[in-house]
Short mmCIF file of all heavy atoms in Angstrom, two decimals:
data_model
loop_
_atom_site.label_atom_id
_atom_site.label_comp_id
_atom_site.label_asym_id
_atom_site.label_seq_id
_atom_site.Cartn_x
_atom_site.Cartn_y
_atom_site.Cartn_z
N LYS A 1 0.79 -1.25 0.03
CA LYS A 1 0.06 -0.06 -0.07
C LYS A 1 0.91 1.21 -0.10
O LYS A 1 1.89 1.25 0.82
CB LYS A 1 -0.94 -0.02 1.30
CG LYS A 1 -2.11 0.83 1.11
CD LYS A 1 -3.12 0.64 2.38
CE LYS A 1 -3.69 -0.81 2.30
NZ LYS A 1 -4.61 -1.02 3.43
N GLY A 2 0.55 2.22 -0.90
CA GLY A 2 1.29 3.43 -1.03
C GLY A 2 2.49 3.31 -1.96
O GLY A 2 3.10 4.29 -2.34
N ARG A 3 2.80 2.10 -2.36
CA ARG A 3 3.96 1.88 -3.26
C ARG A 3 3.56 1.34 -4.59
O ARG A 3 4.05 1.62 -5.69
CB ARG A 3 4.96 0.92 -2.74
CG ARG A 3 5.53 1.41 -1.42
CD ARG A 3 6.83 0.48 -0.85
NE ARG A 3 6.30 -0.84 -0.64
CZ ARG A 3 6.94 -1.89 -1.38
NH1 ARG A 3 7.82 -1.86 -2.27
NH2 ARG A 3 6.49 -3.06 -0.96
N PHE A 4 2.48 0.47 -4.56
CA PHE A 4 2.10 -0.21 -5.81
C PHE A 4 0.71 0.39 -6.18
O PHE A 4 -0.01 0.89 -5.31
CB PHE A 4 1.85 -1.47 -5.69
CG PHE A 4 3.17 -2.55 -5.44
CD1 PHE A 4 4.33 -1.75 -5.37
CD2 PHE A 4 3.11 -3.85 -5.47
CE1 PHE A 4 5.54 -2.60 -5.11
CE2 PHE A 4 4.29 -4.53 -5.42
CZ PHE A 4 5.38 -3.91 -5.23
N SER A 5 0.46 0.42 -7.48
CA SER A 5 -0.86 0.96 -8.11
C SER A 5 -1.36 0.05 -9.17
O SER A 5 -0.67 -0.26 -10.13
CB SER A 5 -0.63 2.34 -8.48
OG SER A 5 -1.91 2.96 -9.13
N ILE A 6 -2.61 -0.42 -9.01
CA ILE A 6 -3.22 -1.22 -10.00
C ILE A 6 -4.14 -0.32 -10.86
O ILE A 6 -4.74 0.54 -10.40
CB ILE A 6 -3.97 -2.34 -9.45
CG1 ILE A 6 -4.47 -3.38 -10.51
CG2 ILE A 6 -5.11 -2.00 -8.40
CD1 ILE A 6 -5.04 -4.59 -9.87
N SER A 7 -4.17 -0.52 -12.30
CA SER A 7 -4.96 0.15 -13.10
C SER A 7 -5.40 -0.82 -14.23
O SER A 7 -4.99 -1.91 -14.35
CB SER A 7 -4.35 1.38 -13.61
OG SER A 7 -3.19 0.96 -14.33
N ARG A 8 -6.44 -0.35 -14.96
CA ARG A 8 -6.96 -1.13 -16.07
C ARG A 8 -7.32 -0.26 -17.26
O ARG A 8 -7.55 0.89 -17.04
CB ARG A 8 -8.08 -2.04 -15.67
CG ARG A 8 -9.26 -1.18 -15.34
CD ARG A 8 -10.36 -2.13 -14.50
NE ARG A 8 -10.90 -3.13 -15.47
CZ ARG A 8 -11.38 -4.34 -15.10
NH1 ARG A 8 -11.61 -4.47 -13.81
NH2 ARG A 8 -11.86 -5.16 -16.03
N ASP A 9 -7.21 -0.95 -18.45
CA ASP A 9 -7.66 -0.18 -19.73
C ASP A 9 -8.62 -1.19 -20.36
O ASP A 9 -8.24 -2.09 -20.91
CB ASP A 9 -6.49 0.05 -20.63
CG ASP A 9 -6.96 0.78 -21.88
OD1 ASP A 9 -8.13 0.79 -22.21
OD2 ASP A 9 -6.03 1.62 -22.51
N ASN A 10 -9.90 -0.90 -20.10
CA ASN A 10 -11.04 -1.82 -20.61
C ASN A 10 -11.04 -1.88 -22.21
O ASN A 10 -11.43 -2.90 -22.75
CB ASN A 10 -12.39 -1.45 -20.08
CG ASN A 10 -12.55 -1.77 -18.55
OD1 ASN A 10 -11.75 -2.71 -18.06
ND2 ASN A 10 -13.45 -1.17 -17.85
N ALA A 11 -10.68 -0.69 -22.82
CA ALA A 11 -10.54 -0.71 -24.24
C ALA A 11 -9.58 -1.60 -24.93
O ALA A 11 -9.62 -2.19 -25.99
CB ALA A 11 -10.38 0.75 -24.75
N LYS A 12 -8.45 -1.89 -24.11
CA LYS A 12 -7.47 -2.82 -24.54
C LYS A 12 -7.36 -4.03 -23.84
O LYS A 12 -6.47 -4.85 -24.07
CB LYS A 12 -6.07 -1.95 -24.33
CG LYS A 12 -5.95 -0.79 -25.19
CD LYS A 12 -4.51 -0.01 -24.95
CE LYS A 12 -4.39 1.19 -25.71
NZ LYS A 12 -3.01 1.77 -25.49
N ASN A 13 -8.27 -4.35 -22.98
CA ASN A 13 -8.26 -5.70 -22.22
C ASN A 13 -6.88 -5.80 -21.41
O ASN A 13 -6.30 -6.85 -21.50
CB ASN A 13 -8.55 -6.80 -23.08
CG ASN A 13 -9.93 -6.89 -23.42
OD1 ASN A 13 -10.91 -6.03 -23.27
ND2 ASN A 13 -10.49 -8.11 -23.98
N MET A 14 -6.34 -4.79 -20.71
CA MET A 14 -5.14 -4.76 -20.16
C MET A 14 -5.35 -4.34 -18.67
O MET A 14 -6.05 -3.51 -18.27
CB MET A 14 -4.06 -3.75 -20.66
CG MET A 14 -3.85 -4.23 -22.20
SD MET A 14 -2.92 -5.52 -22.35
CE MET A 14 -1.34 -4.97 -21.48
N VAL A 15 -4.52 -4.97 -17.84
CA VAL A 15 -4.38 -4.60 -16.37
C VAL A 15 -2.93 -4.37 -16.10
O VAL A 15 -2.06 -5.05 -16.62
CB VAL A 15 -5.13 -5.54 -15.48
CG1 VAL A 15 -4.49 -6.92 -15.53
CG2 VAL A 15 -5.16 -5.01 -14.01
N TYR A 16 -2.63 -3.43 -15.28
CA TYR A 16 -1.29 -2.93 -14.98
C TYR A 16 -1.06 -2.92 -13.55
O TYR A 16 -1.92 -2.75 -12.64
CB TYR A 16 -1.00 -1.59 -15.59
CG TYR A 16 -1.44 -1.29 -17.04
CD1 TYR A 16 -2.52 -0.77 -17.43
CD2 TYR A 16 -0.55 -1.85 -18.05
CE1 TYR A 16 -2.85 -0.71 -18.81
CE2 TYR A 16 -0.80 -1.66 -19.34
CZ TYR A 16 -1.95 -1.07 -19.69
OH TYR A 16 -2.38 -1.07 -20.98
N LEU A 17 0.24 -3.06 -13.13
CA LEU A 17 0.81 -2.84 -11.80
C LEU A 17 1.93 -1.98 -11.77
O LEU A 17 3.05 -2.55 -12.39
CB LEU A 17 1.05 -4.24 -11.13
CG LEU A 17 1.29 -4.18 -9.74
CD1 LEU A 17 0.07 -3.73 -8.86
CD2 LEU A 17 1.90 -5.57 -9.16
N GLN A 18 1.85 -0.72 -11.40
CA GLN A 18 2.92 0.06 -11.29
C GLN A 18 3.48 -0.10 -9.89
O GLN A 18 2.83 0.02 -8.82
CB GLN A 18 2.50 1.50 -11.43
CG GLN A 18 3.45 2.60 -11.22
CD GLN A 18 4.65 2.46 -12.36
OE1 GLN A 18 4.33 2.33 -13.54
NE2 GLN A 18 5.96 2.63 -12.04
N MET A 19 4.75 -0.46 -9.84
CA MET A 19 5.41 -0.78 -8.67
C MET A 19 6.58 0.21 -8.35
O MET A 19 7.57 0.35 -9.20
CB MET A 19 6.07 -2.09 -8.65
CG MET A 19 4.99 -3.28 -8.95
SD MET A 19 5.64 -4.90 -8.81
CE MET A 19 6.93 -4.90 -10.19
N ASN A 20 6.50 1.03 -7.40
CA ASN A 20 7.51 2.06 -7.00
C ASN A 20 8.21 1.74 -5.67
O ASN A 20 7.61 0.89 -4.91
CB ASN A 20 6.79 3.38 -7.04
CG ASN A 20 6.21 3.87 -8.20
OD1 ASN A 20 6.80 3.56 -9.37
ND2 ASN A 20 5.10 4.57 -8.18
N SER A 21 9.35 2.24 -5.44
CA SER A 21 10.11 2.06 -4.19
C SER A 21 10.22 0.60 -3.91
O SER A 21 9.98 0.17 -2.79
CB SER A 21 9.27 2.73 -3.18
OG SER A 21 9.20 4.24 -3.30
N LEU A 22 10.58 -0.22 -4.85
CA LEU A 22 10.78 -1.52 -4.74
C LEU A 22 11.85 -2.01 -3.69
O LEU A 22 12.77 -1.34 -3.44
CB LEU A 22 11.11 -2.22 -6.08
CG LEU A 22 9.94 -2.32 -7.09
CD1 LEU A 22 10.34 -2.55 -8.49
CD2 LEU A 22 8.99 -3.35 -6.55
N LYS A 23 11.52 -3.01 -2.95
CA LYS A 23 12.32 -3.47 -1.92
C LYS A 23 12.87 -4.96 -2.26
O LYS A 23 12.01 -5.68 -3.05
CB LYS A 23 11.59 -3.62 -0.65
CG LYS A 23 10.98 -2.32 -0.21
CD LYS A 23 10.16 -2.49 0.91
CE LYS A 23 9.47 -1.08 1.45
NZ LYS A 23 8.58 -1.19 2.69
N PRO A 24 13.90 -5.46 -1.72
CA PRO A 24 14.30 -6.75 -2.01
C PRO A 24 13.33 -7.84 -1.61
O PRO A 24 13.13 -8.85 -2.31
CB PRO A 24 15.55 -7.01 -1.14
CG PRO A 24 16.09 -5.58 -1.01
CD PRO A 24 14.97 -4.72 -1.01
#
């Protein structure tokens, strides 16, 4: 929470996961 963001594009049938401040 606060580092990752899920989103979707229904026109393209795509779902994304933006991952920031990654840790080992």
Side-chain angles (χ1 to χ4, degrees):
K1 202 171 291 184
R3 299 188 298 124
F4 290 12
S5 177
I6 187 172
S7 62
R8 65 191 297 159
D9 184 336
N10 288 338
K12 296 181 179 179
N13 284 12
M14 297 288 294
V15 61
Y16 305 100
L17 186 68
Q18 177 67 43
M19 306 187 295
N20 299 326
S21 302
L22 283 161
K23 304 175 182 180

